[in-house]
Amino acid sequence: TLKDNINILLDKARLENQESIGFIKATKILMN
Amino acid sequence: SSDLEQLCSHVNEKIDNIKKTLSLRNLGQEPALKTMLNKIGDEIIVVNELLNKFELEIQFQEQTNASLKELCESLEEDYKDVEHLK
Amino acid sequence: MEAEVDKLELMFQKADSDLDYIQYRLEYEIKTNHPDSPSKKNPITLVKELSAIKSRYQTLYARFKPVAVEQKETKSRICATLNKTMTMIQELQKQTDLELSPLTEEEKTMTEQLK
């Protein structure tokens, strides 16, 4: 259970980090 | 009475630990349990690896938060400039 | 009364140290019967490592939660500011009849993405 919980959280953190990279890129383009 | 309760839970906790350790003592005899124990040992290594990766992701997320905050502040500066222009 | 309390206290202290000794002897016996080897750890080590990873997980999860919340808040602040900035720029364009180049495809896509 602990292992599954960590896997779920790890995927969530990875996804959020990828989204944030795209978000920052989009924001910078629009700011320019 | 709360001190006494604390004292009792302290003693009970030690007794629970001893019971747990006693159940471990008979592990050696049964091969099936020994296999299970080794499997748990392997899983612990895997879970620690996952925790290392999770920790890295959190560090990255903390850095991303700092960049997002910077971006937000500079955007708010831009907004003030545009408002001033207007 | 005082003597009774002192006696009780001594009894608790003795029970406490007896329990510690029992725990120590049990762990010693297990470690002797199951010596650690590189591939196999003794049960006591495993139990200790199990509780160590559980508490490490709790610590990391407690660290992760606020970071994720903060990230969402900052992102929505950025979106709000970006929207009102772009709205104001469009108003300025109208007021000054200053026709700037329309948003490029990429900029349109980014705007949609941020929305």
Side-chain angles (χ1 to χ4, degrees):
Chain A
T1 313
L2 182 64
K3 188 173 152 188
D4 296 343
N5 289 349
I6 298 169
N7 267 315
I8 291 166
L9 276 180
L10 187 54
D11 293 343
K12 187 164 182 266
R14 276 187 182 138
L15 186 69
E16 280 176 7
N17 278 330
Q18 276 152 22
E19 274 173 6
S20 298
I21 291 166
F23 182 93
I24 289 174
K25 195 176 135 213
T27 307
K28 283 185 174 169
I29 286 173
L30 288 177
M31 277 175 80
N32 292 340
Chain B
S1 71
S2 73
D3 291 353
L4 204 55
E5 272 164 25
Q6 241 177 343
L7 210 51
C8 289
S9 64
H10 171 77
V11 171
N12 289 334
E13 191 183 326
K14 287 200 172 180
I15 292 170
D16 287 345
N17 276 341
I18 287 170
K19 284 178 181 166
K20 210 191 290 180
T21 313
L22 268 171
S23 64
L24 286 175
R25 186 170 68 161
N26 315 321
L27 258 180
Q29 281 67 29
E30 298 184 38
L33 289 181
K34 247 182 139 150
T35 315
M36 173 71 77
L37 199 72
N38 296 334
K39 194 171 178 311
I40 290 175
D42 299 341
E43 286 290 286
I44 286 176
I45 294 166
V46 170
V47 169
N48 257 319
E49 273 308 306
L50 283 175
L51 285 172
N52 293 339
K53 287 179 186 158
F54 186 41
E55 188 160 18
L56 284 177
E57 285 298 328
I58 293 174
Q59 282 164 5
F60 185 73
Q61 204 155 19
E62 285 164 344
Q63 289 155 16
T64 308
N65 269 12
S67 324
L68 280 168
K69 272 209 188 120
E70 258 174 56
L71 203 55
C72 193
E73 276 146 24
S74 101
L75 201 58
E76 278 162 356
E77 281 309 308
D78 285 358
Y79 178 70
K80 282 185 195 129
D81 296 348
V82 171
E83 209 172 24
H84 179 67
L85 264 178
K86 192 172 177 226
Chain C
M1 178 62 179
E2 191 76 17
E4 283 307 306
V5 170
D6 290 346
K7 193 173 154 210
L8 204 58
E9 194 175 332
L10 277 176
M11 283 168 72
F12 263 113
Q13 277 171 2
K14 181 161 182 343
D16 201 38
S17 59
D18 287 351
L19 287 170
D20 285 341
Y21 183 67
I22 294 168
Q23 182 69 25
Y24 165 76
R25 276 303 307 269
L26 268 173
E27 292 189 5
Y28 178 77
E29 187 184 317
I30 290 172
K31 284 176 183 170
T32 314
N33 296 340
H34 306 268
D36 261 345
S37 67
S39 61
K40 292 192 188 87
K41 288 181 180 140
N42 75 62
I44 300 296
T45 313
L46 287 184
V47 167
K48 288 191 164 66
E49 281 186 2
L50 259 180
S51 57
I53 55 173
K54 279 180 191 163
S55 61
R56 188 178 170 209
Y57 166 73
Q58 299 296 345
T59 310
L60 285 175
Y61 185 52
R63 193 173 142 196
F64 172 70
K65 270 194 301 188
V67 166
V69 168
E70 189 187 328
Q71 197 162 100
K72 275 190 181 57
E73 282 163 6
T74 313
K75 281 180 180 175
S76 52
R77 248 177 72 200
I78 285 176
C79 284
T81 312
L82 205 51
N83 281 330
K84 66 181 183 180
T85 309
M86 288 173 81
T87 310
M88 193 170 278
I89 286 176
Q90 275 146 17
E91 280 167 25
L92 273 175
Q93 282 172 343
K94 277 187 207 121
Q95 276 176 12
T96 55
D97 289 334
L98 183 70
E99 266 314 303
L100 283 183
S101 54
L103 290 180
T104 64
E105 278 315 304
E106 186 189 36
E107 286 162 348
K108 279 183 196 147
T109 320
M110 294 300 163
T111 311
E112 285 317 308
Q113 187 184 332
L114 287 183
K115 275 188 188 128

